[in-house]
Amino acid sequence: MKTPKVSLAVLAATNLAKAALNDIISIDSQLTYRVLPDFEGNVTENFVDTSTTNTTTSTLFAAARNATFISYSPDFLSLIGPNPSLQLITQRNESFANEAGIWVPPLNEVWFTSSTIDDMTTISVLSLSNLSISTPSLSQPIINANGGYYFDSKVYFASDGNAAVPSAIYSVDPVTGETEVLINSYFGLQFNGPNDITWVKPPNSNQTFMFFTDDPLSSLFDDGPPPVLVDAVWRFDPTSHSLVPVISRADILIPNGIATNKEQNKLFVTDSTPIDSGTESLPAGAGNSGSNAIYAFDLVNDANGIPWPVNKRLFGISRTGIPDGIKVDDQGRVWTGEGEGIVVRDSSGKVLGLFNAETLLVDRGAGGPLANFALAGDRLVVEGNERLWILKLGETVMSPGRFEG
Ligand SMILES: *[C@@H]1O[C@H](CO)[C@@H](O)[C@H](O)[C@H]1NC(C)=O
Ligand SMILES: *[C@@H]1O[C@H](CO)[C@@H](O)[C@H](O)[C@H]1NC(C)=O
Ligand SMILES: *[C@@H]1O[C@H](CO)[C@@H](O)[C@H](O)[C@H]1NC(C)=O
Ligand SMILES: *[C@@H]1O[C@H](CO)[C@@H](O)[C@H](O)[C@H]1NC(C)=O
Ligand SMILES: *[C@@H]1O[C@H](CO)[C@@H](O)[C@H](O)[C@H]1NC(C)=O
Ligand SMILES: *[C@@H]1O[C@H](CO)[C@@H](O)[C@H](O)[C@H]1NC(C)=O
């Protein structure tokens, strides 16, 4: 979910608290469900902003507020390695790094998109070889690109369009820049604003499928027409040329981020229904039956080898804000961009730790929440809106296999 225009004034308040930047604070996981003798928390702030008269706990929380790495588990400590060292690639005066976070393994690049800047989002490419950032040269413009995915030699973008150009899914050849519209209508009706994409390569199948989420980004942020289709998760089969809705808004009210696991037999979708309907607009008539939550599905192949998301279950609830971008690593851990930062859960849903938005964003996230990031081999690329960070992790979390055709 992109954030609306950001204030350029926020940079004045920039203060990189370098000493605390690489701090790791470990918090006993029992404190995540029991704070004694008393506490007062606030849903719009972070867990570590909780106040308590327990001086041991309040001192720990105060230190955690300034630390980038907040750990609730030894598993998180081994994930980040013993001496994590964040590198600020660049800082700009606008929210140039907000969405997508697409690792392109053969080119050793990460492609990402901005928030709305002067009525348009931008697409940028980070070279992981030399950390240079460039603008790709595309054969046609992609209007208001949001999320995306690399698969089998192409980069795919979900774009919201604007008043003149319908929202669409585009494919880009990252080598030549050749750009094509892949999907822009359902029997002549516009999508509401495709948000994010994943490809699925079911086990024991030669076919591949694209899944994408659709929600009213275009009308909310890009002067697009009011939604006419109901929000849904869609499955595209390029072999049989079929486009089919597979998850209804009765199951996920505002589908946003979407990801599969390495084994390609689970699908995760974030629902970006705000807790407080004052924080973001709900589509008219949507009611408020959604949750700011992460859901898991099994991907089960039917007799023809077509994957269907079934067995929906609640997997996690965002402590603060909405869950947005999502990636599932090789070990089955689920990473999401949330109000508190990048939250990592194990495959059972337990929160292992988080990368704290308070240190990663400028001025406590005045430019909007931390929406997305990339996992590239053993590296995490953090889209901190006005800041782009890179961190070498303690282990490889994403191998290239699942992105090959
Ligand atoms: C204060 O919190 C710690 C855990 O952080 C706990 O062990 C201790 O019992 C608490 N003190 C009181 C008085 O509740
Ligand atoms: C929660 O925090 C917000 C923002 O810091 C503040 O405006 C609000 O008054 C707080 N709510 C309560 C109940 O303290
Ligand atoms: C946290 O950082 C702020 C700003 O850099 C500083 O004023 C404060 O003292 C720090 N708090 C702790 C507990 O280190
Ligand atoms: C922001 O940065 C751009 C490019 O570096 C510059 O052209 C522009 O004037 C800056 N805007 C402000 C408000 O500082
Ligand atoms: C960085 O590497 C890319 C290839 O990944 C190359 O195209 C680019 O020119 C290099 N930039 C710099 C500044 O060296
Ligand atoms: C996949 O394709 C190969 C070669 O075209 C074929 O031999 C094999 O039976 C196919 N497997 C499945 C599961 O369709």
Side-chain angles (χ1 to χ4, degrees), residues 31 36-37 54 56-57:
L31 270 175
L36 294 173
N54 185 318
T56 311
T57 304

Side-chain angles (χ1 to χ4, degrees), residues 8-9 11 92-94:
L8 294 175
L11 276 192
R92 294 185 185 166
N93 63 9
E94 55 198 15

Side-chain angles (χ1 to χ4, degrees), residues 40-45 49 364:
E40 189 167 341
N42 183 329
V43 75
T44 70
E45 297 182 340
D49 294 320
R364 291 179 68 93

Side-chain angles (χ1 to χ4, degrees), residues 322-363:
I322 58 161
D324 197 324
I326 183 166
K327 316 276 189 273
V328 184
D329 72 16
D330 287 355
Q331 293 78 7
R333 288 175 297 230
V334 177
W335 303 52
T336 43
E338 301 182 13
E340 290 193 300
I342 301 169
V343 178
V344 184
R345 292 174 174 82
D346 71 12
S347 58
S348 78
K350 180 184 177 180
V351 175
L352 301 177
L354 61 88
F355 301 86
N356 189 356
E358 299 295 338
T359 65
L360 298 168
L361 300 179
V362 173
D363 195 23

Side-chain angles (χ1 to χ4, degrees), residues 75-111:
D75 294 345
F76 189 75
L77 298 178
S78 57
L79 173 64
I80 59 177
N83 294 300
S85 178
L86 265 176
Q87 185 179 354
L88 180 65
I89 298 169
T90 189
Q91 178 160 340
R92 294 185 185 166
N93 63 9
E94 55 198 15
S95 182
F96 75 108
N98 178 247
E99 263 290 6
I102 305 164
W103 183 36
V104 181
L107 299 178
N108 203 23
E109 291 171 348
V110 169
W111 291 46

Side-chain angles (χ1 to χ4, degrees), residues 79 103 329-331 333 376-379 393-400:
L79 173 64
W103 183 36
D329 72 16
D330 287 355
Q331 293 78 7
R333 288 175 297 230
D378 63 355
R379 276 170 295 180
L393 299 164
E395 59 189 72
T396 293
V397 293
M398 191 65 80
S399 46

